[in-house]
């Protein structure tokens, strides 16, 4: 039996995503029909924390599969600086677990005033965000009690994958999305990759990925900080060599996020370059599991969530209640 709420919730992800994909099929079809009628010129992504990291995944996914530019929002533009952006030609995707942060809601109000089509990916369908958006994609993960998001984050990525698969009408991607719950179950059975021993002496580190792998590297770095108290920052493996590589020294680790997609060869070459400078490297990957390249990052993350929970416990940290954090963070 899993020992913490975080581990239990991470293990629930495949079942919740299986339910989500079935429940949202009609909803996604309707949203895609609206998007195609409106023919937006770009996508405007809104989110904070883990939701912002999901937005980075969405950026790579949409730009690669649909060729539409994706720009990230600066939420304070509406809530603090009180500015109105020209978003009439945008599809606005808003990601939030709770749907209650004032700065996110201010973005929705601004976008709707501009005439944009606003789609919310949200777990709490009774939230103000769900009420204000033009369309809602429920995450359907049920209550998430652990402070560290796991199943809700994976369900956000699966919802984005379903949206883009239907929007792009790519049979291979559609089939991969349908097989995702079974693949996530298999990923849970992979051997542990991030182990207490592999980071026992680590105080600082960087998480390196490329493309969609970089998007989940950001989430992995956040979890290492909030759950384990390990100072970790995420970089594109290409960007890291442009200066930050000088950080490599004792008690410093490289977390290698390897995804078998078009960027893998370049990413591996860059990780080898960093390793040659003396960094300890921990490799995270999807093992021998294969599928469409866009779903593979979720398999890496599924295994990581189970591993990072065990690392936290080994360090004497309760992963269900990291010091100083609340489940719902409301920012302006």
């Amino acid at each position: 039996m899993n020992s913490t709420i975080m581990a239990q919730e991470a293990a629930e992800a495949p079942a919740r995503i299986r339910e989500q994909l079935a429940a949202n099929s009609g909803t996604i079809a309707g949203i895609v029909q609206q998007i195609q009628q409106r023919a937006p010129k770009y996508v405007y992504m809104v989110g904070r924390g883990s939701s912002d990291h999901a937005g980075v995944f969405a950026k790579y996914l949409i730009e690669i599969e649909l060729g539409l530019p994706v720009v990230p929002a600066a939420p304070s533009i509406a809530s603090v600086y009180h500015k109105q952006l020209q978003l009439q030609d945008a599809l606005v995707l808003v990601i939030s677990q709770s749907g209650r942060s004032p700065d996110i809601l201010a973005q929705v109000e601004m976008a709707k005033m501009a005439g944009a089509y606003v789609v919310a990916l949200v777990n709490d369908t009774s939230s103000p965000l769900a009420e204000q958006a033009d369309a809602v994609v429920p995450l359907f993960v049920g209550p998430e009690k652990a402070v560290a998001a796991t199943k809700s984050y994976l369900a956000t990525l699966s919802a984005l994958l379903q949206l883009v698969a239907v929007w792009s009408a790519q049979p291979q991607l559609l089939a991969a999305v349908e097989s995702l719950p079974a693949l996530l179950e298999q990923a849970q059975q992979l051997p542990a990759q991030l182990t207490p021993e592999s980071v026992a002496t680590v105080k600082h580190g960087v998480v390196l990925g490329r493309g969609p792998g970089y998007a989940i590297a950001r989430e992995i770095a956040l979890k290492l900080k909030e759950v384990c108290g390990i100072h970790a920052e995420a970089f594109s493996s290409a960007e890291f060599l442009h200066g930050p590589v000088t950080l490599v020294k004792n008690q410093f680790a490289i977390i290698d996020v390897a995804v078998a997609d078009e960027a893998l060869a370049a990413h591996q070459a860059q990780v080898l370059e960093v390793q040659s400078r003396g960094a300890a490297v921990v490799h995270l990957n999807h093992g021998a599991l294969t599928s469409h390249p866009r779903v593979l990052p979720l398999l890496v993350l599924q295994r990581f969530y189970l591993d990072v929970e065990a690392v936290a416990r080994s360090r004497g940290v309760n992963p269900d209640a990291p010091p100083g954090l609340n489940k719902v963070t409301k920012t302006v």
Side-chain angles (χ1 to χ4, degrees):
M1 180 177 177
N2 291 321
S3 57
T4 66
I5 296 172
M6 180 183 174
Q8 292 168 23
E9 291 180 343
E12 281 179 31
R16 301 289 81 80
I17 288 172
R18 184 175 284 111
E19 295 167 358
Q20 175 207 68
L21 295 174
N24 282 342
S25 178
T27 300
I28 294 287
I31 289 171
V32 167
Q33 186 177 38
Q34 284 291 319
I35 293 171
Q36 290 171 337
Q37 288 176 359
R38 291 171 176 262
K41 295 180 180 177
Y42 64 100
V43 178
Y44 183 75
M45 293 295 315
V46 182
R48 287 281 196 197
S50 289
S51 295
D52 180 52
H53 302 159
V56 177
F57 180 82
K59 174 180 175 65
Y60 282 106
L61 185 62
I62 292 168
E63 291 188 349
I64 292 169
E65 301 302 332
L66 291 157
L68 203 61
V70 180
V71 297
S76 61
I77 292 298
S79 61
V80 175
Y81 295 97
H82 306 295
K83 299 300 180 182
Q84 175 68 48
L85 299 184
Q86 299 173 34
L87 298 173
Q88 58 269 24
D89 294 325
L91 165 63
V92 177
L93 292 182
V94 187
I95 301 173
S96 175
Q97 207 279 127
S98 70
R100 299 180 184 279
S101 189
D103 50 354
I104 301 303
L105 297 174
Q107 284 280 319
V108 173
E109 182 180 4
M110 177 189 69
K112 293 193 72 173
M113 286 181 65
Y117 182 53
V118 179
V119 178
L121 285 74
V122 62
N123 193 38
D124 185 349
T125 54
S126 67
S127 64
L129 171 59
E131 292 174 3
Q132 293 175 22
D134 294 307
V136 176
V137 179
L139 300 183
F140 285 120
V141 296
E144 190 170 53
K145 297 177 182 178
V147 171
T150 55
K151 62 179 180 177
S152 66
Y153 184 79
L154 282 167
T156 302
L157 301 193
S158 64
L160 289 164
L161 279 163
Q162 187 178 29
L163 175 65
V164 171
V166 174
W167 186 359
S168 63
Q170 296 185 45
Q172 290 182 325
L173 184 54
L174 283 163
V177 172
E178 289 179 6
S179 68
L180 179 58
L183 287 166
L184 290 168
E185 289 170 346
Q186 294 174 51
Q188 292 187 11
Q189 303 307 314
L190 292 173
Q193 297 174 353
L194 183 83
T195 63
E197 297 74 22
S198 67
V199 290
T201 62
V202 172
K203 295 182 178 179
H204 308 281
V206 296
V207 187
L208 299 182
R210 198 76 188 268
Y214 166 63
I216 65 162
R218 289 170 59 112
E219 170 66 4
I220 287 168
L222 175 63
K223 288 296 182 287
L224 287 168
K225 284 182 282 197
E226 72 178 3
V227 179
C228 296
I230 295 174
H231 176 231
E233 301 297 337
F235 288 90
S236 159
S237 51
E239 188 66 28
F240 189 66
L241 295 177
H242 282 266
V245 71
T246 57
L247 292 169
V248 173
K249 55 188 176 183
N250 292 336
Q251 293 186 315
F252 188 92
I254 300 293
I255 310 296
D256 162 32
V257 179
V259 175
D261 66 5
E262 300 90 329
L264 181 61
H267 170 73
Q268 289 178 324
Q270 288 146 356
V271 169
L272 284 173
E273 167 66 21
V274 175
Q275 192 169 9
S276 72
R277 299 175 185 234
V281 179
V282 178
H283 299 284
L284 307 184
N285 54 63
H286 42 81
L289 299 177
T290 59
S291 184
H292 192 290
R294 306 306 163 237
V295 308
L296 296 176
L298 281 71
L299 310 187
V300 181
L301 200 54
Q302 174 71 86
R303 181 63 253 171
F304 166 78
Y305 279 149
L306 300 175
D307 291 348
V308 76
E309 182 271 347
V311 170
R313 286 188 288 105
S314 77
R315 289 174 168 245
V317 176
N318 177 4
D320 292 338
L325 293 180
N326 297 312
K327 182 61 184 171
V328 178
T329 302
K330 295 183 179 182
T331 50
V332 295

